[in-house]
Amino acid sequence: MPAFPEINAIAYEGPDSRNPLAFRYYNADEVVEGRTMRDHLRFSVVYWHTFRNPLSDPFGVGTAVRPWDDGTESVENAQNRVRAAFEFIEKLGAPYYAFHDRDVAPEGATLSESNQNLDAVAKVLKEEQDRSGIKLLWGTANLFSNRRYMHGAATSCNAEVYAYAAAQVKKALEVTHELGGEGYTFWGGREGYQCLWNTNLERELDHLGRFLHMAVDYAKEIGFTGQFYIEPKPKEPTKHQYDSDAAACLNFLRQYDLLDHFKLNLETNHATLAGHTMHHELEVAGSAGALGSIDANTGDVMLGWDTDQFPTDIYLTTQCMHSILKYGGLAPGGVNFDAKVRRESFEPVDLFYAHIGGMDAFARGLKIAAAMRADGRLQGIVDERYASWSDGLGADIEAGKHGLASLEKLMLERGEATPNASGRQERIENLINEYL
Ligand code: XUL
Ligand code: CO
């Protein structure tokens, strides 16, 4: 029995369509900058929010109506859920999905029971991938929900917990590899601290560095060549998470000699929790050659927590796609909707509205960003701003032909420096609005 019997495959109907179950901008086969929208955007559906989130909050129980789910923690229910999930992803037309080990299969009483459950569900995931052609963008291990991870996993004060986490990652990597996953993500759910008085920060960071090296080594051993990601987030659930933002992650990766093996998976609401825009995080990662993938969502400007809403703001998606195009695209990463419907949006059809809106918003952002790049006026202003570096003195400094003494000599002769390029911020902001 289908899980979404009333819903057909979502089609592109164009901007004039009034059908809420159609795309108005995402036209998978349409070519932008020489690539299809499908290949630029590489949309991915997350298993945890879309198929496992009951829509509860700290004040009330779940509200979600999910007729295909019998509410039990049985392996059979988990397997049936996979079929419903793939029906959804296929009707939506997203080419990818992402999961945590514990989203897809129930945790058992022992590690080996959990591993068996995961194998039993992975078998159905494989069948459904083969049937539908939908692929795994990345896998990950949930190292934060179980009670054992109260102090963290790879940064736990307890060595046995660390060992358990390592075992869990080993298995999650194997399953990701079996399913042809194109990446593997570490989001440090509780890798941080609540209180510095009880924390040996240096030791915890060393342990985390070691943990990630073990994952890199094991991937090599089993022949997994997918991309590793770490996902910055500054807090929640911990007071401070070590992977607090893109810059902190880059510093950590550099310190522990992991930069060759990892890229960043950036999430909008995590950026804003860190006091940054997503645009900032994309530019920090991109300029360091470490832009990997994005968890597409948005926060609420009036709220200070991780609300994980679906992105619909065209200005935001334009900024995202402008940086993504600038740094050469996301592949093998993608636009992964780490977002959840509101507790009040409890019906199955709301999952479709949410994803359609996010996909259309990113498709528009892509087209606007490509138009800005083709037009070239923004780039022209930026080039003009840095013109003094293109030849003469600037080019000589960039080429390493100067030291402090030679620059002093020059400026003693010239007497004063004259900045001669306006920032043109207002002109640029007006220009961006022309494209929207
Ligand atoms: C939590 C979060 C995670 C990661 C995967 O804020 O974003 O769902 O994306 O562990
Ligand atoms: Co995320």
Side-chain angles (χ1 to χ4, degrees), residues 48 231 265 267 270 295 338:
W48 52 100
E231 182 177 324
N265 178 37
E267 179 165 328
H270 295 179
D295 273 8
D338 192 355

Side-chain angles (χ1 to χ4, degrees), residues 48-49 100 138 140-141 144 185-187 231 233 236 265 267 270 295 297 306 308 336 338:
W48 52 100
H49 284 316
H100 300 85
W138 49 258
T140 187
F144 43 89
T185 294
F186 287 89
W187 167 61
E231 182 177 324
K233 184 176 181 182
E236 206 197 280
N265 178 37
E267 179 165 328
H270 295 179
D295 273 8
N297 65 15
D306 197 17
D308 283 345
N336 181 49
D338 192 355

Side-chain angles (χ1 to χ4, degrees), residues 366-383:
L366 169 63
K367 292 184 86 164
I368 295 166
M372 286 164 62
R373 282 157 57 85
D375 169 295
R377 277 181 291 167
L378 173 61
Q379 191 58 48
I381 295 172
V382 177
D383 290 347

